Structures are given as structure tokens and as C-alpha cells.
Amino acid sequence: MTNNHVSKKNSNSLVQFEFETDVQEAYHFLRGNISFYERNNPLKTICVVSHSRCEGKTAVAMNLAVSFANCGQKTLFIDSDLRKPVYEKRLGSTDKGLATILFRNDDPNESILNAQVEKLFYLPCGRDVENTYEMLSSSRFRDVLDRLSKEYDKIIIDTPALSNVIDGYEIASVTDGAIIVIRNRFPETQRLVNMVKQLKMANVNIIGAVLNKVPMNEYRRKYTWYHDDWQVSRKKKASAV
Amino acid sequence: MGLKLFLKTAFSRLWLVVLLSVAAALCVGLFTAGLSVPQFESTMKIMIAGAEGEGFSTSVFDEIRSAQLIGADFSEIITSHSVLSSVINDTGLKGDVDTLKELIQVQQIQDTRILVITVTYTTQEKAMEIIDSLQRNFKAKLAAMGSPQSFMIVDEPMVHIKPNGSYYILYILLAAFGGMVLGITLNFILDEFIKRIDSVDITERLLGIQVIGVIPNSTLHRSDKNDK
């Protein structure tokens, strides 16, 4: 099992980045919690949403996909932000993608790329289209998801920010569950509350929230007692030797 | 707001509630224990006596009624201006008659001819001195008035510290409770004004959804930079 994870800043590939142990452990925890959740509610398609841009939604979604793939699950990462593709620019021009599957009824398998991690695959969003909401709310999108669900163990969908467009709600409502990514120290709480209400109104199964971009020192102080204990004991052993 | 959410918000910053409760209790405790002046009480019991060879009345009920009336008279005479002025002169107390009057309490024990006189003062010696002077001047006043009644001393004056322990604990408990209420109120106010998602607890409480992951910011540089 490898521990490759993704950095959003990585310019020309999806997976090249090595995080420190804390970050890797954080993603292991996230994947673990989703697995615990799955014992009662099986999840095949998971979408990752956030209120606004720059909350780290795409990085969380991609690293979660990597984490599942590292566990041996055949995982597909879908970039569903048809209005503002993220990985499109980094991977070079890819005409084919989700948009063309929905718009031209292309075969999904023709658009899916290998994401340089074993068992991880990537479906780009495709070329820019205008009537994105109509496409995403069509039965065709659900059919595509159903078909892909049969071929993959996990499908992680990166969505557009919910504050900007309605697309995210539409996508979330047809998936098995949604993870809300919240940037640490996000100030506009009421907007988040409204977003959660809106998601519930759209009958979205909210798996839970992910608090993202927590400063490392704060993270270590608040959330990693075990790790600290382990480090202290390791240092003690080293000094004893 | 459900009870669970209310309690969660009220004690969201438990340290604040505990801190304010302890601080308030400590302040009140120190104030009442260290800064308050101890009070001493000197008490004596006297029994109203009639003129020599005379009873009060013919029947028991009339006797009780007469005793009540005489007791009331005696109470007024004890705290009268002339008696108290004499006490002030004798003892050299600072202050006027009204001030002294507040320090003296006269109570009649029900259905008896016994009066309990209590003097409260900040020093043991002075409390004793005042009550001694009081009974002397009272006796002199009765004689000067030519009253057929007199009194006998049942209990000589005694001094003891005024018990205030129960109040002491009550004040501390009240202060602790006040601190707790203040802490809870502050929690609600802070939650109302400082709405910022910066911990798992706050996220779960404000949004009503569970937090399944906390992702730290990576501090490493990209490895591909080194590769190049």
C-alpha cells in the first residue's frame, strides 16, 4: 500500500505529493469514519461539497479517492464542475469528459483516465458547456452514475461550490451521501447553516463535515494526543539508546 | 432549541463557567472571611418583678396580659433616650442615641415576665461594658420614675461571638451559582456574536452534523520541486 496523496497545487499530474504523517493519518481517519458509517448505510457514490471556493474541497475529494484506492478499492474520481474545471488545465486539454458523456451520449469508459495510482481512475469534466444544470439534473446523469457504480467500488465526485451555482445540490441529491468540507475559521456560519438546511431539503444524505486547513500546530495540539504520546515515547527510547 | 442543544451551548466553554464560578466564590469567601468585622453579642436575662408583696393580677390570664404590657413598657424604657444617653456617657461610645439603639435588642419570652437584652458590638469588652451600663442606668431610671416594678437578673451578662457560619457558606454558594449563571450567559452571547467554525465541537453544535474528519494544512514543500 502506498501513501501517495494529492496536492491541489501540483501542476501537471494528479498524484505526486508526499504529505507528512499527520496529514496521511488525517485522511486515514476520514476514510475510516466513512467505512464505519458504511456499516449501516452502504455508500457507493460520495460527493464532496463546500459552501464557497478555496475551502480545499477538491484536494479533500481527491485525497479521499486516493485513500480508497490505496485500500484496494477500485475508485473513480469525477470532476463535475462543468463550469470551472480544476484538473482540466493541469492534465492538458481533454475534450472528452462528463460533459460530453451527458451531452453527446459518449461511452463513459472512453473518457476515463488512469490517475497514476493503482486502482484510481479519473473522469474529467470535459469541455465547457452552458446548460450544465439541465445536463446534471437529467436522467442521463443518473443513468451514467448507475452504470459507473456497477464498475467501480467507490465513486468520489468533486462538485462546484454550493454558494455559486445550484449544480452541487443537484449532484448531491443523486449520490448516496455528501461530505461537507469547511475551511477552518470559516466566518459566515449562518450561510453554512442555510447550506445544510438546503441540502437536507434536497434530501441529501449528509455523511458529515470535514474541517479542513487546520494549522498544523493547532491540529497537533487539539487532535493528535496519541501521535504526540507516540513521538514522546519514541524520543525517550532514542535518548535511552 | 432542544434541551440537549441548550445544555451543549450553555456549557460549550466549560472552563469559562468553572472559572467564573470559582472566582466569584473565592472573592465572596475572602471578603466575608477576611474583610468583614467579627460581631460579638452580650446577652442578659432579667425578670420583671412587681412591688414587694404585690402580685400582678388575680387571674393567670390577667397576669400574662399585665406581664406583656409591662414587658413592652420596660423595652421602651431600656431603649429610651435618657437611658441610652447615660450609657453613652458612661462608656464613652462614639455616635448618637439612634446608633446605639440599633445595637440593642430587647425581646420578651412568650408568656413569661422574662426579657432578653442583647447588645451587639465589634469588641467583646465594649459589648460587655454597654450591657452592664444599660442595666445600671435602667435600674436608676426605674427608681427615678418611682415605678412600683423592678427587675431581677436571671442570667448575668455573657458575651459570645455572633454566629454567622451558615450565612458564610450561603454567600459562597450564591456567589458560585451567580458565577455559573454569568458563565452560561457569556457562552450564549459569545456563540451569538463570535460565530466562527474553528473546532469540531462548534461545527457539530452550530450545524447539527457530525465531523468525520479534521485535515491539517501540510507544511511540506512539494516533492516534485526537489525532483526537478
Side-chain angles (χ1 to χ4, degrees):
Chain A
M1 187 188 294
T2 59
N3 275 322
N4 293 327
H5 286 269
V6 181
S7 165
K8 194 177 169 183
K9 291 170 186 170
N10 208 341
S11 60
N12 52 8
S13 66
L14 278 173
V15 182
Q16 278 295 318
F17 193 72
E18 289 282 334
F19 283 130
E20 54 264 71
T21 319
D22 292 290
V23 185
Q24 289 173 11
E25 282 302 321
Y27 280 109
H28 291 168
F29 263 108
L30 176 60
R31 190 196 65 221
N33 283 335
I34 293 170
S35 302
F36 297 145
Y37 184 90
E38 273 187 299
R39 287 177 186 172
N40 298 324
N41 310 284
L43 301 167
K44 199 86 171 177
T45 51
I46 299 170
C47 74
V48 180
V49 299
S50 72
H51 176 266
S52 39
R53 291 179 59 225
C54 302
E55 292 198 52
K57 167 176 39 68
T58 305
V60 169
M62 194 59 192
N63 283 311
L64 186 62
V66 172
S67 197
F68 277 118
N70 284 341
C71 268
Q73 297 194 50
K74 191 182 176 188
T75 307
L76 175 66
F77 176 85
I78 300 178
D79 181 3
S80 70
D81 193 347
L82 301 179
R83 300 174 199 240
K84 197 173 187 308
V86 177
Y87 282 110
E88 195 84 340
K89 294 166 190 170
R90 293 170 194 165
L91 291 171
S93 61
T94 49
D95 283 342
K96 289 184 176 181
L98 184 61
T100 52
I101 293 168
L102 298 176
F103 194 64
R104 296 198 308 231
N105 288 342
D106 282 0
D107 181 7
N109 289 324
E110 289 176 7
S111 307
I112 291 171
L113 307 170
N114 196 318
Q116 300 170 5
V117 170
E118 198 180 343
K119 297 210 170 191
L120 178 61
F121 300 88
Y122 169 60
L123 176 61
C125 62
R127 63 177 176 80
D128 291 347
V129 285
E130 283 181 1
N131 51 345
T132 55
Y133 175 69
E134 284 75 14
M135 284 204 292
L136 291 168
S137 58
S138 66
S139 59
R140 169 74 181 149
F141 180 57
R142 290 172 199 202
D143 293 342
V144 169
L145 274 187
D146 285 344
R147 184 181 157 184
L148 293 172
S149 300
K150 288 169 189 161
E151 294 176 29
Y152 293 90
D153 298 323
K154 279 278 175 295
I155 297 174
I156 309 294
I157 306 173
D158 182 25
T159 61
L162 296 179
S163 63
N164 301 339
V165 287
I166 193 75
D167 299 6
Y169 290 106
E170 190 58 43
I171 296 163
S173 67
V174 297
T175 55
D176 295 333
I179 294 170
I180 302 171
V181 176
I182 302 165
R183 189 181 74 241
N184 189 49
R185 298 187 188 283
F186 189 86
E188 297 171 88
T189 315
Q190 194 52 48
R191 292 188 177 202
L192 285 179
V193 173
N194 293 340
M195 180 190 77
V196 171
K197 276 184 191 168
Q198 183 89 22
L199 283 168
K200 284 178 180 171
M201 206 169 73
N203 283 328
V204 175
N205 174 31
I206 300 172
I207 303 167
V210 172
L211 199 57
N212 194 28
K213 296 187 179 181
V214 177
M216 187 58 84
N217 54 352
E218 187 181 326
Y219 175 81
R220 284 178 176 154
R221 195 178 67 245
K222 280 185 177 175
Y223 305 108
T224 57
W225 305 279
Y226 172 77
H227 185 70
D228 286 351
D229 291 347
W230 174 73
Q231 280 185 330
V232 168
S233 64
R234 197 176 61 164
K235 278 177 187 173
K236 276 182 184 172
K237 276 182 188 172
S239 62
V241 171
Chain B
M1 183 187 281
L3 180 66
K4 195 176 170 187
L5 186 60
F6 176 84
L7 290 174
K8 224 172 178 182
T9 311
F11 295 101
S12 56
R13 295 169 190 85
L14 187 62
W15 62 269
L16 185 66
V17 178
V18 172
L19 183 76
L20 286 175
S21 301
V22 171
L26 269 177
C27 286
V28 170
L30 288 173
F31 179 78
T32 49
L35 302 178
S36 63
V37 181
Q39 298 283 306
F40 292 94
E41 282 183 345
S42 60
T43 54
M44 71 179 293
K45 278 183 188 170
I46 59 169
M47 191 171 81
I48 301 159
E52 201 173 323
E54 286 180 11
F56 279 96
S57 182
T58 49
S59 73
V60 174
F61 295 111
D62 288 346
E63 195 174 325
I64 290 171
R65 176 68 185 146
S66 301
Q68 280 175 347
L69 289 172
I70 295 168
D73 291 345
F74 273 32
S75 298
E76 287 303 315
I77 297 166
I78 290 168
T79 54
S80 65
H81 192 275
S82 57
V83 172
L84 295 184
S85 297
S86 306
V87 172
I88 289 172
N89 290 335
D90 285 356
T91 55
L93 278 173
K94 290 174 183 172
D96 56 6
V97 170
D98 291 332
T99 314
L100 180 60
K101 200 171 182 177
E102 285 174 8
L103 304 177
I104 298 167
Q105 193 183 5
V106 184
Q107 274 186 315
Q108 185 171 16
I109 298 173
Q110 200 176 5
D111 299 339
T112 67
R113 288 179 284 159
I114 294 172
L115 293 178
V116 180
I117 304 168
T118 308
V119 174
T120 308
Y121 205 73
T122 51
T123 61
Q124 202 170 348
E125 295 77 18
K126 209 70 177 172
M128 196 71 175
E129 199 182 334
I130 292 169
I131 204 162
D132 274 340
S133 171
L134 195 65
Q135 60 113 346
R136 275 199 317 274
N137 285 297
F138 175 49
K139 201 169 194 172
K141 182 71 181 173
L142 284 179
M145 287 166 66
S147 167
Q149 282 87 30
S150 177
F151 67 89
M152 294 179 292
I153 293 172
V154 178
D155 279 335
E156 291 290 336
M158 288 183 299
V159 180
H160 55 86
I161 192 159
K162 190 176 179 181
N164 59 355
S166 57
Y167 289 115
Y168 179 72
I169 291 171
L170 183 70
Y171 291 152
I172 289 176
L173 288 176
L174 278 174
F177 180 74
M180 192 180 77
V181 170
L182 183 66
I184 288 170
T185 311
L186 275 176
N187 271 340
F188 278 102
I189 291 170
L190 288 173
D191 264 25
E192 192 58 37
F193 289 103
I194 309 172
K195 283 191 169 175
R196 184 181 274 190
I197 300 279
D198 62 354
S199 75
V200 170
D201 282 348
I202 292 174
T203 313
E204 290 185 343
R205 200 173 63 249
L206 290 175
L207 301 184
I209 53 174
Q210 61 182 347
V211 173
I212 56 170
V214 179
I215 310 293
N217 247 346
S218 176
T219 52
L220 285 183
H221 294 289
R222 280 161 46 194
S223 60
D224 57 347
K225 269 187 180 177
N226 300 330
D227 293 341
K228 285 172 187 174

